[in-house]
Amino acid sequence: MQNVMIVGAGKGGTAILEILLESDSFLIDYMIDIDEKAPGILLSRKLGIKTGNDWKRHLHNNIDIVIETTNDSSVFEDIRTNRPERALLIPGSVAFIIAKLFDEKKALIDKLQKEKHKHDLIFNATNDGMVVVDKQGYIILFNRSAERMTEADRKEVIGKHITDVIPGSLLPRTIQTKRMELNREQLLKNGLKIITTRSPLLDENNEVIGAFAVFKDITEVVKLAEEITDLKEIQTMLQAIIQSSDDAISVVDEDGRGILINPAYTRITGLKKEEVIGKPANTDIYEGESMHMRVLQTRRPVRGVNMRLGPMKKDVIVNVAPIIVDNRLKGSVGVIHDVSEIQKLNQELDRARQIIRTLEAKYSFEDIIGESAEMALAVDQARLSAKTPATVLLRGESGTGKELFAHAIHNASERKFNKFLRVNCAAISESLLESELFGYEEGAFSGARRGGKRGLFEEANNGSIFLDEIGELTPNIQAKLLRVLQENEIVRVGGTKPVAINVRVIAATNLNLEKAIAAGTFREDLYFRINRIPIHISPLRERKEDIRQLCVHLIQKINQEYGRSIEGITESAIEKLKQYYWPGNVRELENILGRAIIFMKSNETVMDGQHLPEFLKVNDKLTSYGMSEENVRDGKRLSEILEHYEMEAIKHSLISCQGNKTAAAKQLGISIRNLYYKIEKHHLEKFSMQ
């Protein structure tokens, strides 16, 4: 916990005090102001925080942070001159920016909560029962109308399987078939007859994530329409139900002319009584044929017909039943259900999901697999870094999970509600990368978009940006990135006006940046900027005790992707995997497990050593490059063995490619720049073309 002194107890200082009080990482030692009645002084006394009117008397070596909010430059300069060397001085301008961002964050959270409350009101206000289940069939939403119809307490049914609450429910079939079922009759265990529409919930990859059902009680309307024989008696008995129903109801005589509608009919179709009563049954049709006329012709009910009605072109589902008195057709009654509101809610839900996907990173620290000391240390360092805005440098070989750590750091930080953008610095050309990172002004170059374009740093404002393979940046881009980190501002390509930004930079590389600095390919000043919090992610060969846990996790993941049901892996297979060198790290492990699962027979449920490829032998590879088993056992350090192995591999590749460095780099799977560096490092110039 860090000790803090706030100098200036006005509005800004009070705001900073309230922010720090919500954090467990800071302890407010003193609140200082020459005005003893300043709001911050009064609040501090109330909270038992020490106060004073002279900061010099209370500034001692135990103070870690001094926040100056007086807006008096002389006070700031005086504190900076006399503060203890270990104390960090934060100017009021930075403090005010933090306070403003905090207020904006709270306002955004309040807005999201209000939107959620609005959707809950709509969900529970509808007269239709609505049930939503996850892909295993367990209830996650259950509205008041569903509670009323099923006579089940909705607080108790959440988390139960749908068939335990509604026996005979076909929502599990909807999840399996991914098919919508419209207007199917169903009898509840309490005797209530309902008509239900079931629909699967699909994600952007067309994978089912659950299902929902919308149903309504049709017991009274259909029973009266089919069983009561006197039309006048029907009108009298149903009048209260019809007038109060949220669903539109229309009744026509034997000639197909309207004789009754309810208020909901006018609301849904936009047609008034004088436009319907006495008029042909097809008056309200905008798209489709009249179901009243079909029922009058066939004397059979129709259910679940999709139509569009009235000048408002409302999407509806229509159920129509004949009215028969003494075996004589007297007319028909139709129940019209408005589904446009549900469609609108589904569209809003899809849009919300898309927004969430763009604002959030996909992984958290819970997704990082491994209990080795090396991985535990890296995770602990990453968790600590998430609590600060400092730049993080993730170091490790390709395939060790650097991007996974970047996602987790963002999701554990205060920026998790803002954007997380990923950039592969090695995959984009220099000219394109500059405009992608920093944006460009209109007319900056041929083909530039009219009005210019925001860069990724501007898009990620108040969020995080992950710069993968940062060691591959050219000197020009390195210089611009250094300005971003120093000044917290960017200048678009072709522009002159700086744009202020607030972005958390997370960088990653598999190169030795210290050697790149010595070789002149990486700026030393940029290195010191990005290396504030270095986190080393060990290669898989140095933490082989994690292989078992990784295999269990990866097999489950591959099962879902390939539709397999592999239950586990044997000890002999684990031991075989532990003997391999794993140059491709976790990415290579996933590739090998996936390949093994593909070729396993359908009746095999446990992976064994025989399913793994035979090339998983370290000694054969070492011998092919001149490293016998005796050389490995002679007591040399692992770093010395790896250096020798790297030199022999590069030499062998250069010889096989007849000195062509481009072909050798492609064969080795490294960049040409990295190859040049390694040739100079191992003094292999004689094996490359001059």
Side-chain angles (χ1 to χ4, degrees), residues 258-477:
I259 59 175
L260 177 66
I261 62 171
N262 68 342
Y265 180 94
T266 300
R267 175 176 53 81
I268 292 175
T269 66
L271 297 171
K272 299 178 181 179
K273 283 187 177 182
E274 54 269 23
E275 297 175 287
V276 177
I277 303 301
K279 300 295 193 315
N282 58 4
T283 300
D284 59 355
I285 305 297
Y286 175 80
E287 182 177 306
E289 64 171 309
S290 171
M291 292 299 103
H292 279 301
M293 297 308 298
R294 179 189 294 185
V295 169
L296 292 176
Q297 292 170 3
T298 63
R299 298 170 65 98
R300 293 182 178 179
V302 295
R303 304 187 187 281
V305 179
N306 290 289
M307 300 179 65
R308 282 190 174 184
L309 295 184
M312 300 171 68
K313 305 176 186 178
K314 278 294 184 75
D315 290 308
V316 298
I317 293 175
V318 177
N319 302 315
V320 182
I323 302 172
I324 299 175
V325 180
D326 295 331
N327 206 31
R328 291 181 57 187
L329 183 67
K330 290 293 185 178
S332 61
V333 57
V335 180
I336 302 166
H337 176 53
D338 182 10
V339 297
S340 59
E341 188 65 30
I342 295 175
Q343 293 173 346
K344 182 180 178 182
L345 288 173
N346 284 334
Q347 291 171 358
E348 290 184 4
L349 181 61
D350 290 339
R351 286 197 296 270
R353 285 174 176 160
Q354 293 172 0
I355 293 172
I356 291 170
R357 281 193 296 272
T358 62
L359 294 180
E360 295 184 347
K362 294 185 291 186
Y363 307 111
S364 64
F365 284 113
E366 285 68 28
D367 296 308
I368 299 177
I369 306 300
E371 297 179 348
S372 62
E374 294 84 351
M375 185 56 70
L377 176 61
V379 170
D380 289 342
Q381 291 175 335
R383 289 185 187 275
L384 288 173
S385 70
K387 298 178 181 179
T388 73
T391 304
V392 177
L393 178 60
L394 301 171
R395 308 191 67 167
E397 298 178 6
S398 178
T400 53
K402 296 187 290 296
E403 183 169 345
L404 185 64
F405 270 79
H407 284 253
I409 290 171
H410 173 80
N411 270 333
S413 71
E414 293 183 351
R415 301 172 183 263
K416 62 184 176 181
F417 294 108
N418 298 308
K419 285 189 178 182
F420 175 82
L421 298 182
R422 303 172 292 279
V423 183
N424 189 330
C425 300
I428 307 176
S429 64
E430 177 185 1
S431 58
L432 182 58
L433 181 60
E434 183 177 7
S435 61
E436 284 293 311
L437 287 176
F438 308 112
Y440 57 80
E441 298 289 353
E442 181 177 343
F445 49 82
S446 178
R449 182 188 299 177
R450 185 175 182 182
K453 178 186 175 183
R454 285 156 52 96
L456 294 176
F457 273 104
E458 289 182 76
E459 291 290 339
N461 194 31
N462 298 323
S464 303
I465 187 167
F466 174 49
L467 301 179
D468 197 9
E469 304 295 351
I470 195 171
E472 302 292 341
L473 289 177
T474 62
N476 179 43
I477 303 296

Side-chain angles (χ1 to χ4, degrees), residues 624-663:
S624 68
Y625 288 118
M627 296 183 65
S628 65
E629 187 173 354
E630 289 76 12
N631 290 335
V632 178
R633 294 200 305 259
D634 66 359
K636 289 184 177 179
R637 294 172 62 86
L638 176 62
S639 60
E640 296 173 346
I641 296 174
L642 295 178
E643 288 284 329
H644 181 71
Y645 180 82
E646 181 182 76
M647 180 184 70
E648 293 295 333
I650 294 173
K651 181 169 70 175
H652 182 273
S653 181
L654 287 170
I655 293 172
S656 66
C657 295
Q658 300 179 348
N660 188 320
K661 291 186 284 293
T662 302

